[in-house]
Amino acid sequence: AFAVADEVPAGALVAAAHEAAGPLLREARVFDVYRGEQVGEGRKSIAFRVEFRSPERTLTDEEAAGLRERIVAALRERFGAELRA
């Protein structure tokens, strides 16, 4: 889940995640949007599920973690997104 400004569309986060991770990101699906005092006024939390997959082989844990880090960095840079625990 990422905390972002209220005006950031969920679809923009998903599109940016696909750009950052490339073809190994098979799916990124939003499953929750939360607005409330835990994320602050004028902000929302968008949670999405991601699925990484290679058609040729099983990805290692390190590869999956690297893809996740690329997504987090891209969303932080592009939207000021903060990863929520």
Side-chain angles (χ1 to χ4, degrees):
F2 292 89
V4 294
D6 224 7
E7 63 270 4
V8 175
L13 291 178
V14 170
H18 277 284
E19 288 176 24
L24 294 178
L25 177 57
R26 291 297 201 194
E27 182 180 17
R29 181 182 308 196
V30 173
F31 66 86
D32 187 45
V33 177
Y34 169 79
R35 289 175 179 86
E37 62 182 66
Q38 291 181 354
V39 290
E41 190 171 329
R43 296 180 65 73
K44 63 185 172 187
S45 173
I46 301 175
F48 57 93
R49 175 187 172 281
V50 295
E51 179 184 325
F52 303 117
R53 191 174 348 133
S54 169
E56 292 95 31
R57 61 190 172 75
T58 301
L59 298 175
T60 66
D61 290 341
E62 293 80 17
E63 288 171 312
L67 291 168
R68 180 181 175 273
E69 288 172 16
R70 285 171 43 188
I71 291 170
V72 170
L75 299 185
R76 182 182 308 118
E77 181 180 313
R78 215 158 149 186
F79 304 103
E82 298 172 8
L83 183 63
R84 297 188 70 214

